[in-house]
């Protein structure tokens, strides 16, 4: 059995097992299985080498382990090192643990449009914002500004990665929400409050041609609903999740990932006939 999985704490909510097992089934890879790996932070250091020894070929890494996973790896890609976090570990047959960050290229892939020359406004200054800023700059965005509720964090991130911190979200071609706002609220009741928490006014959404929201939940977020109403092209968190998952899948298996199958599984939609 070739084993894959997702390390997190908690990890019960993860859509990755459904997504990857659907891809494995689609490609007829019956000797492979992808599973949840709930591991508390204190046990990560001993668990990762044990997984390798137990026959795992690779794992995804999610909250709160992405920074620690990078430190545990023997080698790391430029993306993982510069972002400071890894969401994908690969175990080679000689025991080497390699760290990669597919969140960054996954965002660019999910956008489905070249960001070269675009102005981008990123909201948030946590781990996913770091990956987004790094990815957008690397993909040729003309300018990337960063707004965060705690402005000192935006300033530190911007300085490290070559972006510009702003005190309020600015007009741009592309808006990317990398905060967790929108995760656990009823959209209809709190639409305006959700936008306020992001430093945005409702009438400001129309200033962005493209709006991406990393938050993934069933149904739209307040931000995406407002963006759709304003005529923006939108990308939701499950599209971004499926795109990063597809890149990890390709790394581990060497097979072309069935992207549509993975996205439908992430959305918990039935497989296509
Ligand atoms: P994180 O490191 O914990 O950062 C959280 C960010 O959200 C911080 O900037 C924080 O601001 C901000 N925030 C939290 N509550 C807020 C509020 N009430 N008002 C305004 N800002 C608030 O988290 P992360 O790893 O970057 O993840 C952020 C979100 O992206 C999560 O919902 C996660 O599930 C999602 N995500 C999705 C994907 C995907 O593939 N779709 C990948 C990664 C992450 P402060 O600094 O002021 O606290």
């Amino acid at each position: 059995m070739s084993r894959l999985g997702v390390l997190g704490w908690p990890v019960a909510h993860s859509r990755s097992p459904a997504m990857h097992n659907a891809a494995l089934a689609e490609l007829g890879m019956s000797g492979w299985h992808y599973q949840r790996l709930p591991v508390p932070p204190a046990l990560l250091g001993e668990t990762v080498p044990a997984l390798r020894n137990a026959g795992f070929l690779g794992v995804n890494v999610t909250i709160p382990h992405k920074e620690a996973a990078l430190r545990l790896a023997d080698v790391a890609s430029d993306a993982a090192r510069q972002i400071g976090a890894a969401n994908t570990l690969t175990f080679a047959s000689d025991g080497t643990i390699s760290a990669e960050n597919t969140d960054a290229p996954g965002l660019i892939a999910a956008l489905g449009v070249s960001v070269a020359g675009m102005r981008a406004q990123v909201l948030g200054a946590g781990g996913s914002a770091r990956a987004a800023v790094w990815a957008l700059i690397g993909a040729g965005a003309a300018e990337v500004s960063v707004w965060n509720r705690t402005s000192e964090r935006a300033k530190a991130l911007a300085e490290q990665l070559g972006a510009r911190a702003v005190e309020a979200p600015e007009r741009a071609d592309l808006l990317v929400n990398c905060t967790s706002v929108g995760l656990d609220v009823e959209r209809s009741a709190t639409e305006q409050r959700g936008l306020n928490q992001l430093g945005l006014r409702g009438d400001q959404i129309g200033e962005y041609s493209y709006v991406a929201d990393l938050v993934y939940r069933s149904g739209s977020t307040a931000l995406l609903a407002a963006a759709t109403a304003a005529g923006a092209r939108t990308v939701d968190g499950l599209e971004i999740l499926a795109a990063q998952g597809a890149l990890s899948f390709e790394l581990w298996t060497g097979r072309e990932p069935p992207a549509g199958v993975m996205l439908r599984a992430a959305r918990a939609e039935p497989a296509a006939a």
Side-chain angles (χ1 to χ4, degrees):
M1 172 71 69
S2 300
R3 303 172 77 186
L4 303 168
V6 54
L7 276 168
W9 187 257
V11 75
H13 67 283
S14 175
R15 300 299 308 152
S16 292
M19 207 165 67
H20 285 275
N21 285 322
L24 293 168
E26 174 73 12
L27 298 181
M29 298 168 70
S30 55
W32 293 66
H33 184 66
Y34 186 109
Q35 68 188 80
R36 285 191 176 81
L37 297 163
V39 174
L43 295 182
L44 188 74
E46 64 189 77
T47 302
V48 167
L51 289 172
R52 180 188 61 195
N53 297 337
F56 277 78
L57 298 181
V59 288
N60 282 130
V61 182
T62 187
I63 288 174
H65 299 317
K66 290 186 183 181
E67 287 85 3
L70 176 64
R71 291 193 294 273
L72 286 169
D74 301 306
V75 291
S77 68
D78 285 351
R81 268 190 294 103
Q82 289 167 22
I83 292 164
N87 75 328
T88 306
L89 296 177
T90 304
F91 306 128
S93 51
D94 67 358
T96 305
I97 303 175
S98 307
E100 181 56 278
N101 187 309
T102 67
D103 284 330
L107 169 65
I108 300 299
L111 287 172
V113 64
S114 169
V115 300
M118 278 194 190
R119 286 168 302 158
Q121 173 66 62
V122 172
L123 307 178
S128 62
R130 286 186 68 86
V133 168
W134 186 90
L136 291 165
I137 291 174
E143 190 180 29
V144 179
S145 49
V146 184
W147 173 87
N148 190 48
R149 173 179 64 176
T150 310
S151 59
E152 295 72 32
R153 294 188 74 200
K155 284 181 194 142
L157 186 160
E159 197 173 314
Q160 275 176 21
L161 294 179
R164 187 167 59 86
V166 292
E167 291 299 325
E170 292 187 349
R171 177 187 284 268
D173 303 299
L174 166 67
L175 179 71
V176 185
N177 176 34
C178 300
T179 76
S180 42
V181 173
L183 195 56
D184 56 1
V185 290
E186 272 307 312
R187 182 175 72 73
S188 54
T190 57
E191 187 150 318
Q192 193 54 50
R193 185 166 72 87
L195 294 179
N196 290 346
Q197 285 181 311
L198 295 172
L200 291 164
R201 301 181 316 273
D203 64 355
Q204 211 177 339
I205 304 295
E207 295 178 355
Y208 306 100
S209 305
Y210 301 88
V211 176
D213 195 343
L214 265 70
V215 167
Y216 49 85
R217 61 196 297 267
S218 48
S220 185
T221 59
L223 175 63
L224 290 185
T228 302
R233 196 159 140 198
T234 60
V235 177
D236 70 35
L238 287 171
E239 291 173 86
I240 298 166
L241 181 79
Q244 64 77 31
L247 293 168
S248 299
F249 185 93
E250 191 171 359
L251 267 179
W252 298 321
T253 66
R255 302 283 300 270
E256 181 158 346
V261 168
M262 294 183 81
L263 179 58
R264 277 196 296 280
R267 292 199 192 288
E269 289 170 358

